[in-house]
Amino acid sequence: MSVWDDLVGQEPAVTVLRRAVEGAAAVLRGERGAAVAGMTHAWLITGPPGSGRSNAGRAFAAALQCHNNGCGECNECRTALSGAHPDVSLIRTELLSIRVSEVRELVRRAAMSPTQGRWQVMVVEDADRLTEQAADALLKSIEEPSPRTVWVLCAPTVEDVVPTIRSRCRLLVLRTPPVAAVAEMLTAKLDVDRELAWFAARAAQGHIGRARALARDSEVRERRTKVLEVPFALRDLGACLKSAQQLLDAAKVEAKASAEKVDEKERAELEQALGVGTKGAKPREANAALKELEEQQKARAKRWERDVLDRSLVDLMALYRDVLVVQTRAGAELINDELRRHIEQLGARTTPEQTIRRLDAISTCREAIEANVAPLLALEAMTVSLFEGRTDGFHIPRQVRR
């Protein structure tokens, strides 16, 4: 067991990080030259969604604190991975952006010497969500870090981080985990049936968290099935508009169910901290604090809804990608192999040029929603673009719904 075990299919990146940890240990021993060459004070870890960027950042932080370079069993490793280590700061956001006030607090902590561990490690899991002002506040600390401070920034791509920040970091790129590696992880760690594990690994397209959810939750698989039925239900303009509304409604329901669990707990904790409901006068700042919390929760719900929609659109793109593979006889493995017969039927009725236009329509919809276009309008425009005339209807057989 080690802190690197959760980095599925990322052996090249793990090798780089292990070398850096050895270099960091050499720094603490006062060595110079080649012994410390692998270590630097600022890192930018990039990779596609679900590749394990945050896990890599946490594992690196734990290994830097560990006297055995990341054994995964000592107190330093366990507390660093969980976020409880006093010298490991983990910052992520459920909102649309990381505010400058949060970064200033992080910069203040970064200037301190380690209180217990070997290094002061600052892990920013959503560096792509830094506002311009937040990035400016972070820049000086990265340019002139304290002697025993290490910054670890995580983002989907290097272009998602402002040039002034990324130019001062060492870049580490994670790859999309291979299907075989994800399937093996599901069978070994979660004891998932082999057939279901391979289905989940293919359907997740390298997203580890998504693969776990698909393997463990039949409702997640059912929601995905309904998304994949959309292209075959577009018989006329009315069906296009109905499908767009259904996609949005499903995203709202899923996001709301997730948000309600967190919202209720957060409000109860804040009310307890403010003394709401206890005897005596209600604190003057209570209403303002509760209102601010509600606004943050609304912003988070909006992001979650957008994330659910984007995941659905990625599933649709995978379906049309499979159609294009069949049409061009590319020979690549189908992501939705369990739907091969239906994909072949759709491919036979259309041309590769039409399929590419439909892929472009989905991509345009994703970009529009990311740019805060009203989701329903973006989805309606997409489903109309996907419409290809009357079909014979389509229902995914029960045996492939799992």
Side-chain angles (χ1 to χ4, degrees):
M1 178 180 177
S2 78
V3 297
W4 313 108
D5 288 349
D6 285 338
L7 297 181
V8 179
Q10 304 296 347
E11 290 79 10
V14 170
T15 298
V16 172
L17 293 175
R18 283 183 182 274
R19 190 177 299 121
V21 171
E22 292 171 0
V27 170
L28 294 179
R29 291 194 298 267
E31 299 179 26
R32 298 180 180 274
V36 303
M39 184 57 184
T40 186
H41 70 279
W43 294 75
L44 174 57
I45 301 176
T46 67
S51 58
R53 300 186 306 266
S54 298
N55 286 342
R58 289 171 182 251
F60 187 36
L64 287 173
Q65 304 294 4
C66 177
H67 291 276
N68 295 311
N69 295 350
C71 66
E73 299 178 355
C74 66
N75 182 64
E76 286 78 10
C77 284
R78 292 197 303 270
T79 54
L81 290 173
S82 67
H85 196 288
D87 296 318
V88 175
S89 298
L90 305 173
I91 181 169
R92 66 187 306 271
T93 183
E94 302 292 356
L95 306 179
L96 299 177
S97 61
I98 298 177
R99 297 171 297 180
V100 65
S101 58
E102 297 175 84
V103 172
R104 285 173 178 158
E105 172 60 22
L106 199 64
V107 168
R108 184 188 67 79
R109 294 203 299 270
M112 300 178 181
S113 298
T115 59
Q116 178 179 313
R118 293 141 61 95
W119 297 89
Q120 186 76 257
V121 188
M122 325 304 291
V123 182
V124 183
E125 297 185 8
D126 301 293
D128 55 310
R129 297 187 181 273
L130 288 167
T131 64
E132 186 176 345
Q133 295 83 357
D136 289 342
L138 180 61
L139 180 59
K140 186 173 178 59
S141 184
I142 288 184
E143 282 183 324
E144 302 174 8
S146 298
R148 290 172 63 186
T149 294
V150 179
W151 285 93
V152 183
L153 312 182
C154 307
T157 69
V158 66
E159 289 79 15
D160 291 320
V161 180
V162 297
T164 52
I165 296 291
R166 69 191 190 217
S167 65
R168 290 161 174 81
C169 298
R170 178 176 177 182
L171 178 63
L172 180 66
V173 180
L174 303 186
R175 62 180 179 176
T176 299
V179 171
V182 177
E184 183 181 352
M185 179 273 295
L186 293 175
T187 55
K189 292 191 174 183
L190 302 182
D191 196 26
V192 175
D193 172 76
R194 186 176 184 278
E195 183 181 357
L196 178 57
W198 274 89
F199 160 78
R202 280 189 289 102
Q205 302 176 63
H207 194 299
I208 304 298
R210 177 72 167 158
R212 287 193 177 102
L214 285 166
R216 293 190 292 191
D217 194 335
S218 60
E219 290 186 5
V220 174
R221 298 194 292 272
E222 186 67 22
R223 285 196 293 266
R224 180 177 179 274
T225 294
K226 290 184 180 300
V227 170
L228 296 181
E229 289 177 339
V230 167
F232 304 90
L234 305 179
R235 299 178 175 84
D236 50 37
L237 181 60
C240 292
L241 302 182
K242 180 180 179 182
S243 293
Q245 186 67 61
Q246 288 175 340
L247 284 171
L248 181 60
D249 290 344
K252 286 183 175 180
V253 169
E254 184 176 345
K256 183 179 179 181
S258 300
E260 283 180 343
K261 299 175 184 178
V262 181
D263 290 353
E264 185 177 346
K265 180 181 178 181
E266 286 179 342
R267 186 178 181 88
E269 290 176 349
L270 180 59
E271 288 180 343
Q272 182 179 13
L274 294 171
V276 175
T278 59
K279 294 182 179 180
K282 187 177 181 180
R284 187 178 304 174
E285 68 277 8
N287 288 335
L290 290 171
K291 184 177 180 180
E292 182 181 3
L293 176 63
E294 289 174 0
E295 291 175 352
Q296 291 177 356
Q297 290 175 341
K298 287 179 181 178
R300 179 175 60 200
K302 181 180 178 181
R303 177 188 167 184
W304 284 0
E305 179 184 316
R306 193 168 66 182
D307 288 347
V308 173
L309 273 178
D310 191 68
R311 189 176 65 222
S312 297
L313 296 177
V314 168
D315 288 336
L316 282 178
M317 291 191 79
L319 180 69
Y320 281 107
R321 173 264 188 199
D322 287 347
V323 172
L324 190 61
V325 167
V326 169
Q327 289 173 327
T328 59
R329 296 186 175 90
E333 182 181 3
L334 298 188
I335 293 172
N336 301 283
D337 190 61
E338 70 280 1
L339 302 178
R340 179 179 290 273
R341 181 169 63 88
H342 306 289
I343 289 170
E344 290 175 345
Q345 291 173 356
L346 181 57
R349 294 199 302 268
T350 60
T351 66
E353 292 77 15
Q354 288 175 313
T355 302
I356 291 173
R357 286 198 294 271
R358 292 183 175 96
L359 284 166
D360 287 342
I362 301 172
S363 180
T364 299
C365 181
R366 294 180 68 191
E367 292 172 0
I369 293 174
E370 182 67 25
N372 287 323
V373 172
L376 183 58
L377 292 178
L379 290 168
E380 288 176 345
M382 179 196 73
T383 53
V384 169
S385 296
L386 297 180
F387 175 55
E388 59 185 30
R390 188 172 180 82
T391 70
D392 295 329
F394 173 79
H395 296 286
I396 297 179
R398 178 60 58 180
Q399 63 265 26
V400 304
R401 287 174 179 257
R402 299 182 184 274

